[in-house]
C-alpha cells in the first residue's frame, strides 16, 4: 500500500507521505502536502455544486425571496423620498409632477409603490406571527403564505381604486 501511495504522489517527500498516510481522503482528492487546494485535475473530476435549478419552487421560498426584494425596494423608495425632501421638493411639487403624468402611467406607478409595500408589510406581520410560535407547521406556513398573497392583492386593488 505504501508503494502505491508513493507512486501516486508527485514528489515522494516525507511530508507528502505523512499527509497521504494521515489523510487518505485528502490524498485521493489530489491534495498536496504544501497546499490545501486540490490539483486542477482533481478539481475537474468533482461534480459541480447544485444550483437553483434543482430546487422545487413553491410558495414558501418564493415569498421569502420576494420579501427580501420588496424590503430592499421599499427601503430604496424611502431613501429617495428622504433625499427629495432634503433637496427641497415639497408635497406640492410631487402632486404637480403626478398630475402631469398620463393616467395609465400614474396608475402603474402607484401600483409599483403600493404592491411591494403592502406585500412587505403583510409578510412582516406573518413573520411576527411566526415569532409568537404560531402557524409553524407546514400547513400553517402555506396558509399564512396564501393569506399574505390574498391580502396583498385585495389591499393593492383597494388602494388603487381609492
Amino acid at each position: 500500500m505504501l508503494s502505491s501511495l508513493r507512486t501516486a504522489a508527485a514528489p515522494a517527500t516525507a511530508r507528502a507521505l505523512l499527509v497521504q498516510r494521515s489523510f487518505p481522503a485528502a490524498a485521493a482528492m489530489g491534495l498536496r502536502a504544501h497546499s490545501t487546494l486540490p490539483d486542477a485535475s482533481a478539481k475537474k473530476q468533482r461534480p459541480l455544486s447544485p444550483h437553483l435549478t434543482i430546487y422545487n419552487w413553491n410558495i414558501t421560498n418564493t415569498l421569502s425571496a420576494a420579501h427580501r426584494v420588496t424590503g430592499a425596494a421599499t427601503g430604496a423608495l424611502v431613501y429617495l423620498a428622504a433625499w427629495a425632501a432634503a433637496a427641497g421638493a415639497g408635497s406640492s411639487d410631487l402632486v404637480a409632477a403626478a398630475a402631469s403624468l398620463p393616467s395609465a402611467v400614474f396608475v402603474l406607478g402607484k401600483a409599483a409603490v403600493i404592491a411591494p409595500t403592502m406585500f412587505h408589510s403583510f409578510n412582516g406581520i406573518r413573520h411576527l406571527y411566526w415569532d409568537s410560535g404560531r402557524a409553524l407547521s407546514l400547513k400553517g406556513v402555506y396558509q399564512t403564505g396564501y393569506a399574505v398573497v390574498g391580502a396583498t392583492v385585495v389591499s393593492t386593488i383597494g388602494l388603487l381604486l381609492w
Side-chain angles (χ1 to χ4, degrees):
M1 179 173 156
L2 187 58
S3 62
S4 66
L5 289 176
R6 206 172 268 158
T7 57
T13 63
R15 188 173 176 190
L17 290 174
L18 179 64
V19 168
Q20 289 175 349
R21 277 191 234 145
S22 303
F23 307 103
M29 284 178 47
L31 291 178
R32 291 170 265 160
H34 62 278
S35 173
T36 58
L37 299 174
D39 290 340
S41 61
K43 199 173 185 179
K44 289 179 185 176
Q45 295 172 358
R46 293 185 296 172
L48 292 175
S49 297
H51 194 50
L52 296 175
T53 57
I54 69 161
Y55 295 108
N56 181 17
W57 285 96
N58 52 38
I59 191 166
T60 54
N61 55 4
T62 303
L63 292 184
S64 176
H67 187 72
R68 294 166 195 254
V69 169
T70 57
T74 304
L77 284 174
V78 169
Y79 178 77
L80 288 174
W83 183 74
S91 60
S92 60
D93 297 329
L94 295 175
V95 169
S100 66
L101 294 173
S103 64
V105 173
F106 176 75
V107 170
L108 286 175
K110 192 174 172 183
V113 172
I114 292 171
T117 305
M118 290 292 97
F119 171 78
H120 192 75
S121 299
F122 289 127
N123 209 36
I125 293 168
R126 176 185 183 213
H127 279 268
L128 289 174
Y129 192 67
W130 287 348
D131 289 342
S132 70
R134 290 178 264 184
L136 293 176
S137 67
L138 187 60
K139 181 180 177 184
V141 169
Y142 273 85
Q143 285 176 340
T144 57
Y146 287 120
V148 164
V149 171
T152 300
V153 169
V154 169
S155 64
T156 300
I157 291 171
L159 287 171
L160 283 174
L161 296 176
W162 182 40

